[in-house]
Amino acid sequence: MLPTTPTGIARAGELLRAGKLVAFPTETVYGLGGDATDDRAVAAIFAAKGRPQFNPLIAHLPDLAAAQSWALFDERALELAHQFWPGPLTMVLPRPANSALSLLVSAGLDSVAIRVPGHPVAQALLRAAGRPIAAPSANRSGAVSPTTPHHVLESLGDRVDAVVTGGKCAVGLESTVIDLTGPEPVVLRPGAVLPEEMERLIGPVRMSAGDPTAPKAPGQLESHYAPNAAVRLNAKSAEEGEALLTFGPDRFVFGGTARLNLSPQGDLNEAAANLFSHLRQLDQSGAPRIAVMAIPDEGLGVAINDRLRRAAAPRG
């Protein structure tokens, strides 16, 4: 565990340059970082997560100027970057010819997913490392994403060389991913940056679940973000033995094994920040299934419901 002091950040940067894996906080979730130019480091990320190698990773940079060295930006990408970076937006952009990025980062595609995170610890670490850092969520592939250092250790254990501690993540959901490699902008993964916010800058944006068998960005696999317990959606009450995840004021008698409320006030921002940590806590109750009340499918609720549908999907 490394503190967020200059010494701790410098040590984390040294480890990354040496090809080691370092987990660190962003405003969304904790990322499992590795040098995106080092094939061995990127392969180690896949191995630590048990992640299918056709699932691309996001390369993280400290600012737009640095990002422009690793991806090709058109006018749309520049508009979005100036408005939403640093922040929870990932753009899938054309990959330059002869790029030094590991091909594993892009899963062999001619595109790259790239982001400038807003968390001050992530910013400091990226500048200390001095190179693009590939960083999917710091958990076993398909499992619930981590929003605290404890979640990282609980999921990865000694598969990670260090964890930079930074408290709980503020947003709690992975970044919005928009694909700008074609003429039509396509949201591949919803998140805190909403489609309507982007449309005001670049025109119509289409929503797409993508192809789960050949994803262009992280988080598109059909079964993802899943706890060990099965997940039942749109529940109105808990059945015998179920844990229950609620939203808004509780209006019924609870008969299950454990209950947590994403936001008693019905605040979608609060619900997003609590989603993964609450799923983890209910999973640890030992209940074989988690019943989840309906979440409004609007605003940030679109991203929350996307994660819940993937958590509830059949598992191969």
Side-chain angles (χ1 to χ4, degrees), residues 228-229 241-244 254 256-260 278-291:
N228 292 318
E242 284 186 329
L244 181 64
F254 175 64
T257 60
R259 175 174 62 180
L260 289 173
H278 280 19
L279 280 174
R280 283 177 176 271
Q281 289 181 59
L282 292 177
D283 201 26
Q284 292 167 354
S285 72
R289 189 161 63 180
I290 300 171

Side-chain angles (χ1 to χ4, degrees), residues 142 212 220-227 229-233 305-316:
Q220 289 186 278
L221 296 178
E222 185 175 2
S223 177
H224 209 67
Y225 314 111
V231 175
R232 181 171 67 90
L233 302 180
N305 284 322
D306 171 78
R307 305 310 193 272
L308 288 171
R309 281 191 293 269
R310 295 180 191 276
R315 305 171 195 180

Side-chain angles (χ1 to χ4, degrees), residues 250-265:
D250 290 339
R251 299 187 179 91
F252 52 84
V253 176
F254 175 64
T257 60
R259 175 174 62 180
L260 289 173
N261 195 319
L262 289 170
S263 173
Q265 292 76 36

Side-chain angles (χ1 to χ4, degrees), residues 2 5 13 21 60 84 136 145 163 185 191 220 224 269:
L2 294 174
T5 60
L21 301 186
H60 294 69
F84 297 113
S145 298
V163 180
Q220 289 186 278
H224 209 67
N269 290 319

